[in-house]
Amino acid sequence: MSELSHQEVFSDFSDLVVASPTSYHAAESVAARLEAAGFTRLGDTDDWAGAAPNGRVVVRDGAVIAWRTPEQVANTTPFRVVVAHTDSPGFRLKPVPSTERAGWCSLNAEIYGGPLTNSWLDRDLRLAGRLVLTDGSTTLVATEPVARIPQLAIHLDRRVNADGLKLDQQQHTHAVLGLAEGTEPLQLLAKSAGVAVDDIRGFDIFFVDSQAPARLGTRGELIASGRMDNLASVWAGTRALIDSQPADGISVLAAFDHEEVGSSTRTGAAGPLLGELFERIQPDATAHERGVSRAASWVVSSDVGHAVHPNYPERHDDAVRPIAGRGPIIKVNADQRYVTDGAGEALWRQCSEAAGVEVQWFVSNNTMPCGSTVGPFIATRFGIRTVDVGIPILSMHSVRELAVLEDLDGLGRVLGSFMVSAQ
């Protein structure tokens, strides 16, 4: 793996975040990076088979999958797969996108995933996503900052600081787009995309915070950013795939959509995309050969995890305490919400040692059930050994999350080591 300074890590990751306001943009941004590195872009109807030492990449809506094969590839060649997700929690426009409320043009949005709703208040918001046109084509769109979810003034809620903020997710999450008269969100989106409003036949549009990532800390060691969950892993996996040449295995990056809402979609981890890749790049493999290949394969499921919060240390396990800045985490859960086992732990530690990166663990406090990742879907569907990892962050599912640049850099280095590992 190439050595990067903290400024280079920040700049490169920041560029990806700014270019990726939604999962659709993220998939295209990753594909563009890979194409610039020599990968060939293919479509669903192209032939995916054959050796591809320079790499190939396919975008399907908000998901992207890319791979490199060695010069000599057989039907039993194993895979080294990094899986992540492109989507983040937030707000998605409803089919009737706006109403008039007290003289304001008020946007109707549905909660997407599990955002920290209060973190979206009083933020300058963009609208971004994709438009589906009358000819069946799609176009990506992202406006300038145009909207805001205004919080109620303290003069009208005198007890808010004492009693805590309570938001009704239907009543209190409407964003103000402008004065009602003359304000039409589809007109705005059409103008931003350079299309006629009458040509819009469908849309997938989200609220997006407009603030770019920033370096914080006395030494600039911290990064504050939106959509770190899970563009951090997407960035690290993309870097690893570009920088590593496969030795005896097929290196794959699969960044799925819809993880935040369960993954059970055409482009989610529970969908067909990864299975299609296995079948289409080894089209002549027998069932036995596929079994041999998968028995020797590994998947690393990479998603962010919780660093110990300095203001709430009691929310963590007493003994297992992931500290920001001390390296990526191995995620462990007895109920298999994370699918790491002893073999996966050993693999990750081996790859971390090869990359010169520290290892630490995340396991939940027994009184607080943990979340999950795409790892269990992949392990269940394909029977491939899987380990769940990530970087420790604060403010997960906030509109703006916080991490340490050294951890982000370390994740990319370990994933690169994994992609060329022989285990």
Side-chain angles (χ1 to χ4, degrees):
M1 292 285 292
S2 59
E3 293 291 332
L4 298 179
S5 67
H6 283 181
Q7 181 57 38
E8 289 171 324
V9 172
F10 170 77
S11 295
D12 199 47
F13 176 68
S14 179
D15 287 346
L16 178 65
V17 171
V18 171
S20 305
T22 70
S23 59
Y24 307 109
H25 293 82
E28 290 290 344
S29 298
V30 169
R33 286 175 172 237
L34 293 171
E35 288 182 275
F39 283 61
T40 299
R41 182 156 175 174
L42 301 177
D44 278 333
T45 60
D46 293 322
D47 183 6
W48 296 5
N54 292 327
R56 292 171 180 160
V57 58
V58 173
V59 171
R60 181 177 292 174
D61 298 336
V64 58
I65 192 163
W67 67 96
R68 270 182 160 165
T69 60
E71 291 286 357
Q72 300 297 320
V73 59
N75 287 337
T76 56
T77 299
F79 292 82
R80 297 289 179 266
V81 186
V82 172
V83 295
H85 66 89
T86 56
D87 63 320
S88 301
F91 296 81
R92 172 177 167 166
L93 279 191
K94 291 181 176 180
V96 178
S98 65
T99 57
E100 179 181 348
R101 291 163 64 96
W104 302 99
C105 177
S106 185
L107 293 175
N108 296 325
E110 191 173 11
I111 304 294
Y112 179 87
L116 277 171
T117 312
N118 65 290
S119 70
W120 286 79
L121 301 179
D122 297 331
R123 306 288 300 186
D124 298 338
L125 303 176
R126 305 163 68 194
L127 299 180
R130 67 174 179 177
L131 306 175
V132 183
L133 307 180
T134 52
D135 62 2
S137 65
T138 63
T139 185
L140 299 184
V141 62
T143 71
E144 295 299 315
V146 292
R148 186 181 180 93
I149 304 174
Q151 185 169 343
L152 185 64
I154 193 169
H155 312 79
L156 304 178
D157 188 7
R158 293 287 186 178
R159 296 289 304 171
V160 64
N161 288 332
D163 297 341
L165 179 65
K166 299 178 179 63
L167 295 176
D168 182 299
Q169 293 195 338
Q170 173 64 31
Q171 181 68 16
H172 300 150
T173 59
H174 293 269
V176 169
L177 182 61
L179 296 178
E181 185 176 353
T183 302
E184 171 51 54
L186 289 187
Q187 287 280 7
L188 171 67
L189 291 164
K191 181 178 179 181
S192 295
V195 301
V197 68
D198 291 342
D199 285 339
I200 299 174
R201 286 295 177 266
F203 57 83
D204 300 288
I205 300 296
F206 295 81
F207 294 174
V208 182
D209 181 43
S210 62
Q211 188 175 0
R215 290 185 72 174
L216 304 178
T218 58
R219 302 183 304 279
E221 71 273 26
L222 308 180
I223 178 169
S225 174
R227 302 180 297 286
M228 196 171 295
D229 179 6
N230 188 31
L231 291 182
S233 297
V234 173
W235 175 85
T238 303
R239 176 190 172 194
L241 187 61
I242 290 173
D243 284 358
S244 60
Q245 287 289 343
D248 65 337
I250 300 169
S251 301
V252 179
L253 169 67
F256 300 103
D257 203 352
H258 302 131
E259 188 273 347
E260 298 292 353
V261 293
S263 295
S264 296
T265 65
R266 174 176 177 264
T267 51
L273 186 55
L274 186 58
E276 286 185 32
L277 176 72
F278 292 153
E279 293 172 2
R280 292 176 69 168
I281 68 176
Q282 295 175 323
D284 301 322
T286 65
H288 170 72
E289 289 170 330
R290 290 192 191 285
V292 171
S293 171
R294 293 180 186 182
S297 298
W298 273 100
V299 171
V300 169
S301 168
S302 183
D303 204 345
V304 295
H306 302 288
V308 174
H309 196 300
N311 299 338
Y312 304 90
E314 74 282 357
R315 303 297 176 95
H316 293 260
D317 182 82
D318 292 337
V320 182
R321 306 182 68 76
I323 304 299
R326 297 186 187 175
I329 52 176
I330 305 172
K331 302 164 82 170
V332 179
N333 179 253
D335 289 337
Q336 297 298 286
R337 301 284 288 170
Y338 310 129
V339 290
T340 303
D341 61 9
E345 178 184 344
L347 172 70
W348 187 252
R349 294 180 70 174
Q350 173 186 313
C351 294
S352 297
E353 290 170 7
V357 175
E358 288 188 81
V359 175
Q360 53 181 341
W361 289 260
F362 172 82
V363 63
S364 290
N365 181 314
N366 288 344
T367 65
M368 296 183 182
C370 71
S372 191
T373 69
V374 301
F377 291 105
I378 304 303
T380 300
R381 286 198 63 207
F382 303 110
I384 298 176
R385 297 170 296 178
T386 303
V387 54
D388 273 300
V389 305
I391 62 168
I393 72 168
L394 295 180
S395 304
M396 189 187 298
H397 284 205
S398 171
V399 75
R400 198 160 175 83
E401 296 158 326
L402 185 68
V404 176
L405 285 165
E406 184 66 29
D407 294 336
L408 182 59
D409 178 53
L411 179 63
R413 287 158 54 195
V414 181
L415 291 180
S417 174
F418 162 73
M419 283 188 171
V420 299
S421 68
Q423 182 169 337

